Amino acid sequence: METAKSWLQRNLKGDPILWAIVLLFSVISIAVVYSATGTLAYKNELRGRPGSAEMIVLKHSSLIVAGLALMWLAHRVDYRNYSRMALYALLLSVPMLLITYFLAPVNGASRWMTIPVINQTFQPSDLAKLALISHLASMLSRRQQHLQDFWSTLFPVMLWVGIICGLIALTNASTASLLFATCLLLMFIGRVPIKQMLVMVVIGVAVGGTALASGQRWKTVQSRLENFSDPTKKTPFQLEHSYIAIATGGIAGKGPGKSTERNILPHPYSDFIYAIIIEEYGLVGGATVLLLYLAFLYRGLKTVMNSYGAFGGLLSAGLSFSLVMQALVNMGVAVGLGPITGLPLPLLSMGGTSLIFTGISIGIILAVSRGEREVRPMTGEPDDTARIPSQRAAYA
């Protein structure tokens, strides 16, 4: 009779520690979202809308399960196939981003589309982000021997990064900025010359600034930057109560479900869920979550180190950095280390299809960690020479 251990080894391939981290995050997310959505459920009741705390956490749990299922499916796919799929995903995301921009704004921005039939909203930027990182990894891996050539290497990279980040910046400056930073980091890991990266920075700032000024979020971004940089300005309401939640959490916290700031903070279940975690679970809980993200990054970089080729290494590095950088930005905002961004905390915040795309991203990282060899395009033989030079030494 098959044991549980052998069943897990047969069905859950890739890095087992990554699997454990993701499953632990899922449990924490369900517990914290259930606690943080009490006020949302009460407001739904006052407005005569369906949505008790139990219904909300059930929907959230179902999305987590869907994300885990897609993560499992994604990790079973040979990761080299994602190189081919990335371009088609990019071509699909461009018109979707354009269509979204012209839809009616929600909370001051047009970021969501509704999927017909199932009537579920999602952000095309989630698809665009995953597709761009994957395609950038593919482009850089195929051009490792031509990195000095501007037209064959930097121009196509610059074109896609500029288009996608520019379109996202029209409605979501923080996501566009974080994605652009991830792309630069990926270019650095992919050995793109510093001079070409500086050209990329100049063009990116110009394109991003133009998109931001002509888009929907210029005044909001300006206001948030002024509030953060000017100490004479009054602390924004949400940050003030985030500080209160963190300050009253102490070492061990108030206990699960005993947060008081969840009744005051706007979006305590998404943008400021880290403050609720510290309030209920204290410094111990906040530090545990931070260490889990750092452990996730470490295991992602171990996958880079052990990958057989440049594409797998760059793909895992880009997706790992993207997820953890977003987490660090969200936590930094909650404790006052950065301006308010509106970015959710990956794997923990209540969300819609963002949980789905996060699951797919992690599934791709796990697919790389399975260790298939990349092959030479013409011969089909294993291509160990495709590895980024000094890749093992860089991440040892």
Side-chain angles (χ1 to χ4, degrees):
M1 186 174 180
E2 188 177 30
T3 64
K5 182 178 179 180
S6 61
W7 185 90
L8 290 173
Q9 289 175 341
R10 183 167 56 85
N11 289 278
L12 303 184
K13 303 292 186 179
D15 190 336
I17 298 179
L18 270 179
W19 276 106
I21 291 172
V22 173
L23 292 174
L24 185 55
F25 268 130
S26 300
V27 174
I28 295 172
S29 177
I30 292 171
V32 179
V33 167
Y34 181 57
S35 173
T37 52
T39 301
L40 177 62
Y42 178 68
K43 291 179 179 177
N44 287 338
E45 184 180 347
L46 289 179
R47 295 167 182 168
R49 298 176 181 174
S52 64
E54 290 74 18
M55 288 179 61
I56 293 172
V57 79
L58 182 61
K59 180 181 178 181
H60 177 66
S61 301
S62 66
L63 285 169
I64 287 179
V65 171
L68 290 173
L70 287 171
M71 183 175 77
W72 182 83
L73 289 173
H75 105 288
R76 302 288 295 187
V77 176
D78 186 331
Y79 73 87
R80 291 166 292 185
N81 293 321
Y82 293 114
S83 175
R84 293 184 285 271
M85 288 188 279
L87 179 59
Y88 297 111
L90 270 182
L91 293 173
L92 176 64
S93 65
V94 170
M96 292 175 69
L97 288 169
L98 285 169
I99 292 170
T100 304
Y101 175 68
F102 292 103
L103 296 177
V106 178
N107 295 327
S110 302
R111 300 176 184 171
W112 293 268
M113 289 185 69
T114 301
I115 303 175
V117 183
I118 65 174
N119 199 34
Q120 173 68 51
T121 60
F122 85 108
Q123 294 191 49
S125 59
D126 289 329
L127 171 63
K129 181 168 62 174
L130 175 59
L132 179 61
I133 292 172
S134 302
H135 189 57
L136 182 57
S138 177
M139 287 191 291
L140 291 175
S141 67
R142 287 185 278 108
R143 292 168 171 82
Q144 283 294 295
Q145 308 305 320
H146 308 283
L147 293 173
Q148 300 291 337
D149 190 327
F150 176 89
W151 291 107
S152 68
T153 301
L154 182 62
F155 181 73
V157 168
M158 177 183 66
L159 185 66
W160 276 116
V161 173
I163 290 173
I164 298 300
C165 291
L167 288 174
I168 294 175
L170 291 170
T171 60
N172 194 336
S174 51
T175 296
S177 301
L178 195 61
L179 179 57
F180 183 69
T182 302
C183 292
L184 287 177
L185 187 58
L186 203 53
M187 291 171 67
F188 177 77
I189 296 172
R191 303 186 306 120
V192 173
I194 298 297
K195 289 183 179 180
Q196 294 196 20
M197 290 183 62
L198 291 175
V199 173
M200 184 74 180
V201 170
V202 172
I203 294 174
V205 170
V207 172
T210 302
L212 186 60
S214 58
Q216 301 170 345
R217 304 297 286 173
W218 170 246
K219 291 183 179 180
T220 301
V221 171
Q222 191 177 31
S223 173
R224 288 176 174 177
L225 289 175
E226 288 176 355
N227 287 331
F228 176 73
S229 59
D230 189 349
T232 62
K233 286 186 173 290
K234 188 179 185 303
T235 304
F237 177 82
Q238 57 266 58
L239 270 184
E240 181 180 357
H241 286 278
S242 176
Y243 297 160
I244 293 172
I246 292 169
T248 56
I251 301 297
K254 297 177 179 178
K258 296 182 180 179
S259 167
T260 53
E261 291 303 315
R262 63 182 177 178
N263 301 318
I264 304 171
L265 262 172
H267 309 296
Y269 41 81
S270 56
D271 300 355
F272 287 93
I273 197 169
Y274 190 61
I276 303 302
I277 291 172
I278 297 179
E279 184 183 11
E280 293 191 347
Y281 298 92
L283 181 61
V284 174
T288 300
V289 168
L290 175 59
L291 289 174
L292 283 174
Y293 280 115
L294 294 179
F296 183 97
L297 180 61
Y298 174 72
R299 298 309 300 185
L301 294 184
K302 286 283 286 185
T303 298
V304 175
M305 181 183 73
N306 295 327
S307 65
Y308 281 103
F311 174 63
L314 290 168
L315 183 61
S316 179
L319 295 175
S320 299
F321 275 116
S322 174
L323 189 147
V324 177
M325 284 170 61
Q326 181 174 327
L328 293 176
V329 168
N330 177 282
M331 292 185 286
V333 169
V335 300
L337 295 179
I340 297 172
T341 61
L343 290 171
L345 189 57
L347 293 168
L348 289 179
S349 291
M350 186 180 81
T353 50
S354 62
L355 290 169
I356 302 296
F357 285 104
T358 299
I360 295 172
S361 299
I362 298 172
I364 295 173
I365 297 171
L366 287 166
V368 176
S369 73
R370 290 173 56 189
E372 286 92 347
R373 290 175 181 267
E374 294 182 27
V375 297
R376 294 188 179 97
M378 298 301 295
T379 66
E381 298 173 358
D383 186 8
D384 292 326
T385 62
R387 185 192 300 276
I388 302 172
S390 303
Q391 187 171 303
R392 284 187 177 271
Y395 295 101

